[in-house]
Amino acid sequence: MSKKKLGLNTICTHIGEIKDEQFKGAISPIYLSTSYEFDDVDVKRYPRYFNTPNQEFLAKKIAALEHTEAAMIFGSGMAAISHMFLAFLQKGDHIVVQNTLYGGTSNFIREEFHKYGIEYTFTNGYAVSDFEAAIQSNTKLIHIETPSNPLLTITDIKGVADLAKSKGIVTSIDNTFASPVNQNPLDFGIDIVMHSATKYLGGHSDILAGAVASTQEHIDRIWNVSKNLGGSLSDMTVWMLERSMKTLALRVKAQNKNAGKLAKFLNKHDDVSNVYYPGLKSHPQHELAKAQMHGFGGMLSFELAEGIDAMAFMKQLNLIKPSMSLAGVESTMLLPSETSHFLLTQEERDAVGISNQLIRFSVGIETFRDLKTDIAQAIINTKTTSFA
Ligand code: PLP
């Protein structure tokens, strides 16, 4: 089967299946063995070597979805990102990272890199010129995240990839928010793509996992470090991830559709002052998003008008769950000022545009009408309760 000719849903369903030769079952068997017969190969099968049958085959699905040769699956998104960074950076090297980065990634850089003698610069913004300004003679890696969390800013993927290539610098991207259904950064010249598979790849809020996809050469380099660090995943979870990914495109497309409709609904709502969604024409980088994304994703943020207590609004929701994580089939909301950005001072939050009215919305696959009704009633009830 030529992978290039296969459609997205076929790749999700069939690439990386393990044929059950023994019993002819319809789905991939699980191989939980941590010990395999010794044979005459360079690398023996062993879970920490990322090469058990389930790991090896699921990696094919992820590589196919990201239009590349190889992939690796990790025990978490943070394992994927930390192992990747440590494979490409060593003492004396420098990395340029986008300022609006997932908090865990920023923490890893700020708290761990000095121990390894790795230098870093967070950009001042997310324009290509901001990345250019941060490059040093010892820069070895540029890392971006688009759409960003929680304000859904869009970074010019090709712009950054071209800049890096002209200077011989490797590039990586956190593609978690978009998922491979909505964005394939390697097509724009990025070298390595990573995911928190805990999010859209898993999609059911029941798997912690990570993934990295790239050329075989880059994956070999990451493997060489990862086998020492040991951030691999249990095969039980690998199997669950494979099962979840069969519906990846179906889920994400339903989430795109709901998010697009809800963004429009919120944008017109009198009690909502701002909506951040790359699919809206009013989004400052809407045209760029259109050029580099196949769909605008299931994540959006919005600000309730002054005077409507955001925490009280969250408590009035009946269907949408207040929840920390994202990308599950169920809709969830959180307040960045009370969660991801809680440790910042008010001034620091203001500087990065995180107001106390801001709500991050991970849109699920429920019926649009029910989500709309839940938000509308929660706004009305918050207002009624606070003005009573
Ligand atoms: N990248 C992004 C964009 C995330 O949102 C997260 C987690 O929330 C991570 C990476 C880290 O993933 P994990 O929690 O699977 O380690």
Side-chain angles (χ1 to χ4, degrees), residues 298-339:
M299 298 299 301
L300 65 92
S301 290
F302 62 97
E303 272 157 345
L304 287 170
E306 284 304 323
I308 303 178
D309 186 311
M311 187 63 100
F313 162 81
M314 300 277 286
K315 289 188 180 146
Q316 292 290 348
L317 293 165
N318 294 324
L319 185 65
I320 301 166
K321 295 183 175 128
S323 164
M324 280 296 285
S325 201
L326 61 108
V329 290
E330 65 286 338
S331 290
T332 60
M333 286 188 185
L334 62 72
L335 291 176
S337 60
E338 294 290 330
T339 53

Side-chain angles (χ1 to χ4, degrees), residues 7-15 61 65 245-249:
L8 190 54
N9 280 315
T10 315
I11 295 174
C12 287
T13 316
H14 290 297
I15 295 294
K61 195 193 294 290
L65 285 169
M245 286 184 64
K246 291 181 187 188
T247 56
L248 174 68

Side-chain angles (χ1 to χ4, degrees), residues 76-79 81 102 105 145 149 174 176-177 194-199 208-210 325-326 360:
S76 67
M78 281 314 301
I81 203 153
Y102 167 62
T105 311
E145 196 173 307
N149 178 20
D174 187 329
T176 301
F177 260 42
M194 66 74 48
H195 287 273
S196 165
T198 315
K199 309 298 173 332
L208 185 77
S325 201
L326 61 108
R360 192 190 75 185

Side-chain angles (χ1 to χ4, degrees), residues 126 152 154 275-278 280-288:
Y126 51 91
L152 288 302
I154 303 293
V275 180
Y276 304 88
Y277 185 63
L280 287 178
K281 288 203 178 84
S282 53
H283 186 287
Q285 290 108 25
H286 174 63
E287 289 305 318
L288 177 59

